[in-house]
Amino acid sequence: MNTATAVRIIGTAQRKCAQTLRRPAPLLLPVSTSAVQSCLQSTQPVPAARLPYRVKVSAGKRYAWCACGHSKKQPFCDGAHRTNAPSIPPVRFTPDKDRTVMLCACKQTKNAPYCDGSHLKVIFQDVVKSVKGIFK
């Protein structure tokens, strides 16, 4: 591992896992890639978007809804959870009829994979964080 790679890995680990890395590591400290990987893996879903996805689904077809939020093919799973969030598997579902559904994008729904309006709470929390940031 060269110095530039080590610096990049440490910088990423510090940004992504600030809660577990209490103090900054020296820039040239050798880092185990397994330690960095376990730190970068999320145990909580990441909101892919603030509003739900409107999707046409076909009866009898099997779908895998991304529950972790890391998929690049939202709202469906592309396997990204295997490396980014191995503890959050996709939700598999088979619709009973052809229809258009709203699939959750904030990943906070209690009725996965369908939207239940939880994104309103996520949006509100974002607004609160923004307002608090203004008055710091």
Side-chain angles (χ1 to χ4, degrees):
M1 177 182 326
N2 64 30
T3 305
T5 303
V7 169
R8 187 170 34 89
I9 290 172
I10 291 170
T12 301
Q14 288 174 338
R15 283 190 306 278
K16 299 276 185 171
C17 300
Q19 69 276 12
T20 58
L21 298 173
R22 298 290 182 223
R23 57 192 148 132
L27 289 179
L28 299 177
L29 179 69
V31 176
S32 131
T33 55
S34 63
V36 171
Q37 184 65 28
S38 67
C39 190
L40 295 178
Q41 293 174 347
S42 57
T43 57
Q44 295 296 318
V46 176
R50 297 295 178 236
L51 297 174
Y53 295 101
R54 184 177 177 164
V55 180
K56 290 182 181 180
V57 293
S58 302
K61 184 176 177 184
R62 292 192 56 170
Y63 295 92
W65 173 75
C66 172
C68 71
H70 292 283
S71 174
K72 300 292 184 218
K73 296 182 178 180
Q74 290 292 333
F76 302 109
C77 180
D78 67 358
H81 65 277
R82 291 185 193 112
T83 54
N84 297 323
S87 63
I88 307 174
V91 174
R92 301 184 196 292
F93 69 101
T94 306
D96 54 348
K97 60 182 178 177
D98 292 353
R99 59 184 174 158
T100 300
V101 296
M102 300 298 278
L103 296 181
C104 178
C106 74
K107 311 303 177 187
Q108 302 301 313
T109 184
K110 302 291 187 250
N111 186 28
Y114 306 104
C115 177
D116 67 357
S118 296
H119 58 275
L120 298 173
K121 180 179 176 185
V122 173
I123 292 170
F124 178 76
Q125 289 170 343
D126 287 346
V127 170
V128 169
K129 284 180 189 176
S130 296
V131 171
K132 284 184 178 179
I134 292 171
F135 294 106
K136 280 189 177 183

